[in-house]
Amino acid sequence: RTMPLARPTRQIPEAAWTSGLREMTEPWKGAVGCLGVAVFFAMTIGIISWQALEQSPEEWVLRGRTGGVLWERRRGALLLRALPAGRMVAVIAVGGVPAAEPPPPRDRCWHDRGQFCYAWEEDAELRLSLEPPPAPATECYGVHWTPLRPDVMLKDCFSMANVSWYGGASVRAQRWPLNGAESPAQPFVSGDFGKNPAGYGPVLERYFLGSTGVTVTVAPDVPLVLSLESDRHFCLQTPAGSDAVSLRYLLCVSQDIAAAHRHVGSQLAGQARALPDTALLGSPIWRYYGPAGSAAKIKRGLRSLVKKLKRHHLQEGVLALGESSTAILAAADHVPSERRKRHNSARAWDPSLIEPLQLSITLSPYTSIASPLFLRWLRDGQAASYCLSLQPRFGDCSVPLLTTWKGRLCARLNVTSELALSWYLARAQRLRQALGAAYVVFEGAEGNVFLERAVPPPAELAGDRYTAALAAALAVLGNATIISAGAGSSHLPFFVQMSPLHSDWSHAGLKGLIPSVLHYSLLGYNFFIPDAVGGSLAGDTPGDPELYVRWLQIVTFLPVMAFGTPPWLCCDAWV
């Protein structure tokens, strides 16, 4: 008997169903796993992005009433902003510390809301503080960096982006504003362009004024190095190799640049301004460059110059003798009285020789080592009392510190010695009376001879304290004094002799005259004597008629007009 054929039931066998499902779900498991990993990464990136966007790159570290200081993480910089609008006032890039490490929210001075303190371990400590303002509308912040290791050099750079800076130091090719100036890092000390053309000039102050209404003033006892990088920044830093020197300065913010200078810059001198002899404002200065080999030659040269001035109807003003001519006339005037009678006073100076013109004489704090005066000091063991000297280490005698002045090896007056200052001032007063001089010019007041010789200066002569001490001593001579440098002495009754310029159209010549005038005036030295018409640096003789006349036109509007080359000796009859 045959069995009937079974009908197909269309059911998958159990074993076939299980194996088929397993084969079908394997790709889906991989896809789900990849999707999970992608979602995890997306969430991680989102969280990081959210944190980056949510957490500002700028963080307040010290906040005042009208402004405050922030820390910018990205470039490691201090930001000074004015409130309430948050206007950017200054950007200060921090050097000498790992700027990539931002100060944490915690503040070591958290108990004092007027301070912020933070230390970069083993590098430096920063202390910011709110300081008493000079005026109600101005707010000031003290910045104090302290190195924690002797080899740490502190350096803060002030950005020139969107800020015009003024003040500070004069340079050979003066710019206005300071943004266009260039200078390598060097001690912030006044100098002589004749000795060091790349250095800083004879008038400077530790004061910088920004167009955003910010001022930067550096404490006078801080050893300071300044560098200028054109259109980028200027940097304040501590000297290399110094042992743990702090960097301290004061930031002040005002409503605008005029208010900032009125509240801070005009108070630099700290004392009421005394006026110099304003009669000089109406007296052209005629510098004598004639024969100077002897007193007789000088007198003949002066007589000749006076006759020519009268012939050209220019018989008013001041005849200015240089240092060499002054020394020759002084030596002739101090011939002993017996010899003077025997020589019928032929060598003595007679002030009526140049009437109606007045006379100015020139002195400096330098003494040639070949002069009888210096040799006498050495013989009497008084050189250290009258001259700057190197102090002995092991009880030896002091050695005079020698330097060059106008091509001669010289010693410099010791302004820390009462004996030396009394002698110097009495000598200046005696020469002024003996020669009948109306004015006395003091050259060579600028510079620090210790730094020039790479010798650490004593504390009382650090920086520009020599210039300041000499200027303060010369004030006893009265207001008919002209000095070649200014540093912390704008309140004294002096005229300041501006640096010589090249006889050309460059920024080292005529083009630099107006920027220099603005620089001197900003720092408080409003009574100045510009260089001679046409320029006088390095014996330059004006030869361009147009340059000479343009120069004459400019100085017409300045306090004093000086001539080295008289108009009739320049160029042609048209001049």
PDB file of all heavy atoms in Angstrom, residues 251-268:
ATOM      1  N   LEU A 251      49.961 101.511  36.184  1.00  0.00           N
ATOM      2  CA  LEU A 251      49.050 101.729  35.063  1.00  0.00           C
ATOM      3  C   LEU A 251      47.900 102.611  35.537  1.00  0.00           C
ATOM      4  O   LEU A 251      47.287 102.318  36.565  1.00  0.00           O
ATOM      5  CB  LEU A 251      48.483 100.402  34.561  1.00  0.00           C
ATOM      6  CG  LEU A 251      49.429  99.414  33.889  1.00  0.00           C
ATOM      7  CD1 LEU A 251      48.713  98.092  33.676  1.00  0.00           C
ATOM      8  CD2 LEU A 251      49.905  99.968  32.566  1.00  0.00           C
ATOM      9  N   CYS A 252      47.626 103.669  34.806  1.00  0.00           N
ATOM     10  CA  CYS A 252      46.493 104.536  35.141  1.00  0.00           C
ATOM     11  C   CYS A 252      45.612 104.715  33.912  1.00  0.00           C
ATOM     12  O   CYS A 252      46.118 104.854  32.789  1.00  0.00           O
ATOM     13  CB  CYS A 252      46.967 105.902  35.648  1.00  0.00           C
ATOM     14  SG  CYS A 252      47.794 105.846  37.262  1.00  0.00           S
ATOM     15  N   VAL A 253      44.310 104.712  34.133  1.00  0.00           N
ATOM     16  CA  VAL A 253      43.338 104.842  33.048  1.00  0.00           C
ATOM     17  C   VAL A 253      42.480 106.072  33.298  1.00  0.00           C
ATOM     18  O   VAL A 253      41.948 106.254  34.391  1.00  0.00           O
ATOM     19  CB  VAL A 253      42.438 103.595  32.948  1.00  0.00           C
ATOM     20  CG1 VAL A 253      41.500 103.712  31.754  1.00  0.00           C
ATOM     21  CG2 VAL A 253      43.274 102.338  32.841  1.00  0.00           C
ATOM     22  N   SER A 254      42.382 106.918  32.276  1.00  0.00           N
ATOM     23  CA  SER A 254      41.538 108.105  32.341  1.00  0.00           C
ATOM     24  C   SER A 254      40.544 108.088  31.187  1.00  0.00           C
ATOM     25  O   SER A 254      40.585 107.204  30.321  1.00  0.00           O
ATOM     26  CB  SER A 254      42.391 109.381  32.292  1.00  0.00           C
ATOM     27  OG  SER A 254      43.301 109.435  33.367  1.00  0.00           O
ATOM     28  N   GLN A 255      39.693 109.079  31.155  1.00  0.00           N
ATOM     29  CA  GLN A 255      38.647 109.129  30.138  1.00  0.00           C
ATOM     30  C   GLN A 255      39.221 109.260  28.734  1.00  0.00           C
ATOM     31  O   GLN A 255      38.721 108.660  27.794  1.00  0.00           O
ATOM     32  CB  GLN A 255      37.710 110.295  30.440  1.00  0.00           C
ATOM     33  CG  GLN A 255      36.543 110.421  29.463  1.00  0.00           C
ATOM     34  CD  GLN A 255      35.633 111.576  29.834  1.00  0.00           C
ATOM     35  OE1 GLN A 255      35.877 112.283  30.802  1.00  0.00           O
ATOM     36  NE2 GLN A 255      34.577 111.764  29.049  1.00  0.00           N
ATOM     37  N   ASP A 256      40.273 110.053  28.577  1.00  0.00           N
ATOM     38  CA  ASP A 256      40.900 110.223  27.270  1.00  0.00           C
ATOM     39  C   ASP A 256      42.358 110.609  27.485  1.00  0.00           C
ATOM     40  O   ASP A 256      42.830 110.747  28.621  1.00  0.00           O
ATOM     41  CB  ASP A 256      40.169 111.266  26.423  1.00  0.00           C
ATOM     42  CG  ASP A 256      39.975 112.583  27.171  1.00  0.00           C
ATOM     43  OD1 ASP A 256      40.931 113.036  27.832  1.00  0.00           O
ATOM     44  OD2 ASP A 256      38.876 113.162  27.088  1.00  0.00           O
ATOM     45  N   ILE A 257      43.086 110.817  26.395  1.00  0.00           N
ATOM     46  CA  ILE A 257      44.520 111.068  26.478  1.00  0.00           C
ATOM     47  C   ILE A 257      44.818 112.416  27.129  1.00  0.00           C
ATOM     48  O   ILE A 257      45.805 112.551  27.879  1.00  0.00           O
ATOM     49  CB  ILE A 257      45.169 110.977  25.072  1.00  0.00           C
ATOM     50  CG1 ILE A 257      46.693 111.112  25.160  1.00  0.00           C
ATOM     51  CG2 ILE A 257      44.586 111.998  24.123  1.00  0.00           C
ATOM     52  CD1 ILE A 257      47.395 110.853  23.834  1.00  0.00           C
ATOM     53  N   ALA A 258      43.975 113.414  26.895  1.00  0.00           N
ATOM     54  CA  ALA A 258      44.207 114.727  27.502  1.00  0.00           C
ATOM     55  C   ALA A 258      44.071 114.652  29.018  1.00  0.00           C
ATOM     56  O   ALA A 258      44.901 115.188  29.762  1.00  0.00           O
ATOM     57  CB  ALA A 258      43.238 115.754  26.921  1.00  0.00           C
ATOM     58  N   ALA A 259      43.025 113.959  29.484  1.00  0.00           N
ATOM     59  CA  ALA A 259      42.835 113.812  30.934  1.00  0.00           C
ATOM     60  C   ALA A 259      43.963 112.989  31.544  1.00  0.00           C
ATOM     61  O   ALA A 259      44.434 113.277  32.646  1.00  0.00           O
ATOM     62  CB  ALA A 259      41.484 113.156  31.215  1.00  0.00           C
ATOM     63  N   ALA A 260      44.417 111.958  30.823  1.00  0.00           N
ATOM     64  CA  ALA A 260      45.501 111.119  31.340  1.00  0.00           C
ATOM     65  C   ALA A 260      46.775 111.933  31.549  1.00  0.00           C
ATOM     66  O   ALA A 260      47.432 111.833  32.598  1.00  0.00           O
ATOM     67  CB  ALA A 260      45.763 109.965  30.374  1.00  0.00           C
ATOM     68  N   HIS A 261      47.143 112.754  30.562  1.00  0.00           N
ATOM     69  CA  HIS A 261      48.358 113.555  30.709  1.00  0.00           C
ATOM     70  C   HIS A 261      48.180 114.640  31.764  1.00  0.00           C
ATOM     71  O   HIS A 261      49.123 114.945  32.511  1.00  0.00           O
ATOM     72  CB  HIS A 261      48.736 114.184  29.368  1.00  0.00           C
ATOM     73  CG  HIS A 261      50.029 114.933  29.401  1.00  0.00           C
ATOM     74  ND1 HIS A 261      51.219 114.329  29.723  1.00  0.00           N
ATOM     75  CD2 HIS A 261      50.320 116.235  29.184  1.00  0.00           C
ATOM     76  CE1 HIS A 261      52.196 115.234  29.690  1.00  0.00           C
ATOM     77  NE2 HIS A 261      51.662 116.395  29.366  1.00  0.00           N
ATOM     78  N   ARG A 262      46.995 115.198  31.847  1.00  0.00           N
ATOM     79  CA  ARG A 262      46.752 116.247  32.840  1.00  0.00           C
ATOM     80  C   ARG A 262      46.837 115.696  34.263  1.00  0.00           C
ATOM     81  O   ARG A 262      47.400 116.333  35.151  1.00  0.00           O
ATOM     82  CB  ARG A 262      45.374 116.876  32.587  1.00  0.00           C
ATOM     83  CG  ARG A 262      45.052 118.039  33.508  1.00  0.00           C
ATOM     84  CD  ARG A 262      43.798 118.768  33.053  1.00  0.00           C
ATOM     85  NE  ARG A 262      42.611 117.924  33.035  1.00  0.00           N
ATOM     86  CZ  ARG A 262      42.024 117.473  31.935  1.00  0.00           C
ATOM     87  NH1 ARG A 262      42.507 117.775  30.748  1.00  0.00           N
ATOM     88  NH2 ARG A 262      40.942 116.712  32.005  1.00  0.00           N
ATOM     89  N   HIS A 263      46.327 114.500  34.475  1.00  0.00           N
ATOM     90  CA  HIS A 263      46.280 113.941  35.822  1.00  0.00           C
ATOM     91  C   HIS A 263      47.578 113.250  36.230  1.00  0.00           C
ATOM     92  O   HIS A 263      47.889 113.182  37.414  1.00  0.00           O
ATOM     93  CB  HIS A 263      45.121 112.936  35.926  1.00  0.00           C
ATOM     94  CG  HIS A 263      43.783 113.571  35.739  1.00  0.00           C
ATOM     95  ND1 HIS A 263      42.666 112.852  35.349  1.00  0.00           N
ATOM     96  CD2 HIS A 263      43.360 114.856  35.874  1.00  0.00           C
ATOM     97  CE1 HIS A 263      41.630 113.671  35.252  1.00  0.00           C
ATOM     98  NE2 HIS A 263      42.030 114.888  35.561  1.00  0.00           N
ATOM     99  N   VAL A 264      48.314 112.702  35.249  1.00  0.00           N
ATOM    100  CA  VAL A 264      49.511 111.912  35.578  1.00  0.00           C
ATOM    101  C   VAL A 264      50.779 112.576  35.058  1.00  0.00           C
ATOM    102  O   VAL A 264      51.708 112.866  35.816  1.00  0.00           O
ATOM    103  CB  VAL A 264      49.393 110.476  35.012  1.00  0.00           C
ATOM    104  CG1 VAL A 264      50.628 109.662  35.387  1.00  0.00           C
ATOM    105  CG2 VAL A 264      48.140 109.795  35.538  1.00  0.00           C
ATOM    106  N   GLY A 265      50.829 112.834  33.742  1.00  0.00           N
ATOM    107  CA  GLY A 265      52.064 113.331  33.135  1.00  0.00           C
ATOM    108  C   GLY A 265      52.494 114.686  33.640  1.00  0.00           C
ATOM    109  O   GLY A 265      53.686 114.931  33.883  1.00  0.00           O
ATOM    110  N   SER A 266      51.537 115.585  33.821  1.00  0.00           N
ATOM    111  CA  SER A 266      51.901 116.933  34.258  1.00  0.00           C
ATOM    112  C   SER A 266      52.340 116.971  35.711  1.00  0.00           C
ATOM    113  O   SER A 266      52.829 117.996  36.184  1.00  0.00           O
ATOM    114  CB  SER A 266      50.717 117.882  34.045  1.00  0.00           C
ATOM    115  OG  SER A 266      49.586 117.440  34.781  1.00  0.00           O
ATOM    116  N   GLN A 267      52.164 115.856  36.431  1.00  0.00           N
ATOM    117  CA  GLN A 267      52.573 115.797  37.841  1.00  0.00           C
ATOM    118  C   GLN A 267      53.910 115.089  38.023  1.00  0.00           C
ATOM    119  O   GLN A 267      54.299 114.789  39.156  1.00  0.00           O
ATOM    120  CB  GLN A 267      51.493 115.053  38.652  1.00  0.00           C
ATOM    121  CG  GLN A 267      50.086 115.585  38.467  1.00  0.00           C
ATOM    122  CD  GLN A 267      49.944 117.039  38.861  1.00  0.00           C
ATOM    123  OE1 GLN A 267      50.524 117.470  39.848  1.00  0.00           O
ATOM    124  NE2 GLN A 267      49.181 117.798  38.077  1.00  0.00           N
ATOM    125  N   LEU A 268      54.614 114.808  36.937  1.00  0.00           N
ATOM    126  CA  LEU A 268      55.858 114.047  37.037  1.00  0.00           C
ATOM    127  C   LEU A 268      56.878 114.732  37.931  1.00  0.00           C
ATOM    128  O   LEU A 268      57.549 114.095  38.740  1.00  0.00           O
ATOM    129  CB  LEU A 268      56.465 113.844  35.639  1.00  0.00           C
ATOM    130  CG  LEU A 268      55.803 112.800  34.737  1.00  0.00           C
ATOM    131  CD1 LEU A 268      56.479 112.798  33.382  1.00  0.00           C
ATOM    132  CD2 LEU A 268      55.872 111.433  35.378  1.00  0.00           C
TER     133      LEU A 268
END
